[in-house]
């Protein structure tokens, strides 16, 4: 019998959930385990308290009794009952970790969602621009058609496990110097599922899932970018024990384009122009993802100038405005001239056409230091 407040010992609220109590206990048990603590005798005392509190608060029946009467009369060992021989800590941790393991396996045996799958698809920039559809085929562990995922041969039943009575767990009680320790383990007959399949499905061997080739048509909307992913619900692996299937994620990569570069909604292209087009101005044809576009080149356009074609870039997935198409022009100097071209250009040079108008950086520097 003890007067300690178990809730205080574990540092939890009076209305703490079972999980909160377990978490608090795990943390404290690790911290105050006499094997790791500095002050062994103090740790031992604290460790006893923690275990005593946990033993009561983790058991709903004992906890209810404790809440009503402030004490638990049956079987909860008082501080004096604890002996800490070398073996007893092992028992405590068996109980502790055994429970955790058992609980995890019991959970695993319940309905579980199937895994998500990933499928990679490379598309062309034009396809990202216009949107496209892609046929894909892949193998996955899908629900077995034969048994509808149950694992039982059609017409036969899944029956409750007789070893564990359908609970999926087996409890064993042991008497130790610490008092009675109850270990909960997954049932060895049904593996923690609580049921057995006397006649397994012939197609899947009772697993409820089997390798299935899946063919799908994936719709790629206009405006997708490199790394975009498309979720196709329910086309991942089948769930187990009646759980829902996972999803398929189609990851898109966009192949490099021979002409265009792309950054988000903006697209870029380099276009060669002639010296006369640059000097006199012209209407030129510019390639874009929407086809060729007429663009006005102003008179006196310098090489390397970037002009913008508004709304000729990529569409947006979210329906926002299209991006712009950025056209960088490069003046190409002719390497071969016929006689007439040469004569005209020489005449042009004599007329003063070979003077460079733009003042150089050095001219500007000279101006800046010229005395008044
Ligand atoms: Zn089957
Ligand atoms: Zn069982």
């Amino acid at each position: 019998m003890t007067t300690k407040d178990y809730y205080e010992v574990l540092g939890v609220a009076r209305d703490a959930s079972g999980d909160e109590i377990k978490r608090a206990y795990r943390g404290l048990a690790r911290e105050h385990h006499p094997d790791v603590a500095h002050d062994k005798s103090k740790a031992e005392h604290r460790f006893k308290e923690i275990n005593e509190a946990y033993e009561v608060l983790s058991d709903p029946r004992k906890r209810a009794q404790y809440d009503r009467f402030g004490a638990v009369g049956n079987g909860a060992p008082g501080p004096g009952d604890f002996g800490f021989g070398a073996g007893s800590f092992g028992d405590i941790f068996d109980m502790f970790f055994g429970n955790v393991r058992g609980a995890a396996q019991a959970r695993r045996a319940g309905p579980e969602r199937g895994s998500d799958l990933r499928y990679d698809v490379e598309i062309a920039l034009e396809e990202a621009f216009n949107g496209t559809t892609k046929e894909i085929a892949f193998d996955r562990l899908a629900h077995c058609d034969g048994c509808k995922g149950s694992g039982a041969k059609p017409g036969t039943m899944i029956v409750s496990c007789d070893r564990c009575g359908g609970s999926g767990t087996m409890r064993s009680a042991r008497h130790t110097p610490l008092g009675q320790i109850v270990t909960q383990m997954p049932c060895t007959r049904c593996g923690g599922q609580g049921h057995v399949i006397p006649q397994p499905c012939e197609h899947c061997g009772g697993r409820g899932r089997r390798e299935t080739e899946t063919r799908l048509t994936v719709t790629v909307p206009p405006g997708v970018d490199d790394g975009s992913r498309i979720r196709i619900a329910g086309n991942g692996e089948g769930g187990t024990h009646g759980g829902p299937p996972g999803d398929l994620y189609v990851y898109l990569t966009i192949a490099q384009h021979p002409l265009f570069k792309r950054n988000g909604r903006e697209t870029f292209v380099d276009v060669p122009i002639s010296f006369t087009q640059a000097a006199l101005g012209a209407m030129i044809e510019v390639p874009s993802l929407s086809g060729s576009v007429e663009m006005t080149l102003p008179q006196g356009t310098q090489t390397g100038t970037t002009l913008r074609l508004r709304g000729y870039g990529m569409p947006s997935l979210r329906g926002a405005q299209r991006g712009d198409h950025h056209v960088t022009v490069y003046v190409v100097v002719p390497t071969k001239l016929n006689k007439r071209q040469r004569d005209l250009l020489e005449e042009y040079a004599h007329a003063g056409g070979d003077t460079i108008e733009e003042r150089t950086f050095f001219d500007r520097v000279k101006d800046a230091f010229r005395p008044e």
Side-chain angles (χ1 to χ4, degrees):
M1 217 56 53
T2 177
T3 53
K4 278 235 172 334
D5 182 334
Y6 290 149
Y7 292 99
E8 236 167 62
V9 169
L10 292 184
V12 294
R14 296 218 148 257
D15 58 355
S17 70
D19 275 352
E20 285 168 338
I21 288 169
K22 189 187 281 178
R23 255 200 312 279
Y25 170 69
R26 288 177 73 163
L28 290 168
R30 288 214 183 96
E31 191 184 334
H32 296 285
H33 191 296
D35 284 356
V36 297
H38 292 299
D39 184 343
K40 293 245 185 290
S41 62
K42 215 172 135 196
E44 220 168 81
H45 176 71
R46 181 87 174 98
F47 194 62
K48 280 184 224 168
E49 279 181 0
I50 293 162
N51 279 286
E52 191 186 342
Y54 181 66
E55 172 132 7
V56 171
L57 296 187
S58 63
D59 179 324
R61 197 180 49 81
K62 287 182 187 166
R63 184 178 174 184
Q65 197 183 350
Y66 174 76
D67 286 345
R68 279 181 75 192
F69 303 112
V72 177
N74 64 333
D81 299 330
F82 283 82
F84 281 92
S88 19
F89 284 114
D91 282 331
I92 285 182
F93 280 84
D94 262 354
M95 170 193 77
F96 173 54
F97 290 111
N99 264 330
V100 169
R101 263 202 306 275
Q105 281 176 17
R107 259 203 309 282
R108 211 175 299 137
E112 196 171 271
R113 185 175 174 277
S115 311
D116 292 335
L117 295 177
R118 170 182 176 146
Y119 191 99
D120 291 290
V121 173
E122 189 183 68
I123 61 170
L125 187 59
E126 283 86 350
E127 292 177 305
F129 178 79
N130 292 308
T132 184
T133 56
K134 288 279 165 191
E135 306 292 327
I136 63 170
F138 57 100
D139 289 329
R140 65 184 177 123
L141 263 182
H143 259 153
C144 172
D145 304 330
C147 59
K148 302 269 181 292
S150 73
K153 188 174 173 179
T156 72
M157 300 284 285
I158 296 174
V159 297
S160 182
C161 173
D162 49 10
R163 184 167 299 171
C164 61
S167 70
T169 53
M170 298 197 313
R171 295 162 75 92
S172 69
R174 268 181 299 159
H175 290 278
T176 73
L178 297 163
Q180 181 178 292
I181 288 183
V182 176
T183 310
Q184 194 168 302
M185 295 294 289
C187 170
T188 50
R189 178 160 151 75
C190 63
Q193 294 177 36
H195 60 257
V196 289
I197 301 171
Q199 286 177 277
C201 165
E202 285 157 2
H203 303 286
C204 62
R207 286 174 303 148
R209 301 193 295 179
R210 60 175 169 153
E211 201 76 9
T212 309
E213 194 191 39
T214 303
R215 292 176 173 278
L216 288 174
T217 303
V218 180
T219 303
V220 179
V224 290
D225 209 337
D226 210 39
S228 292
R229 60 177 207 180
I230 298 168
R231 176 170 160 268
I232 302 173
N235 278 282
E237 292 199 334
T240 50
H241 310 300
D247 298 332
L248 174 73
Y249 286 93
V250 177
Y251 280 73
L252 299 171
T253 48
I254 295 173
Q256 204 164 2
H257 194 276
L259 276 185
F260 305 125
K261 296 229 176 343
R262 180 235 187 134
N263 182 8
R265 283 187 291 149
E266 308 299 294
T267 54
F268 304 85
V269 70
D270 290 343
V271 171
I273 55 170
S274 71
F275 162 72
T276 46
Q277 285 174 321
L280 304 172
M283 285 293 278
I284 60 169
E285 293 270 306
V286 171
S288 81
L289 284 162
S290 320
S292 85
V293 190
E294 287 215 315
M295 189 179 79
T296 308
L297 205 58
Q299 184 186 323
T301 299
Q302 300 299 314
T303 193
T305 300
T306 299
L307 300 155
R308 182 192 291 248
L309 285 169
R310 280 193 194 279
Y312 281 90
M314 291 293 287
S316 154
L317 272 179
R318 285 175 292 277
Q321 246 186 334
R322 275 195 174 174
D324 299 335
H325 191 40
H326 302 260
V327 181
T328 303
V329 294
Y330 289 97
V331 174
V332 178
V333 176
T335 51
K336 283 180 194 138
L337 295 171
N338 63 29
K339 171 84 171 69
R340 181 156 161 72
Q341 285 171 329
R342 173 171 292 276
D343 289 348
L344 286 171
L345 272 179
E346 275 169 5
E347 200 181 325
Y348 168 79
H350 288 142
D354 55 358
T355 53
I356 296 170
E357 286 167 29
E358 197 194 20
R359 289 159 68 239
T360 65
F361 172 74
F362 296 105
D363 292 331
R364 289 197 293 274
V365 172
K366 269 188 266 169
D367 282 355
F369 290 96
R370 184 169 295 152
E372 290 297 313

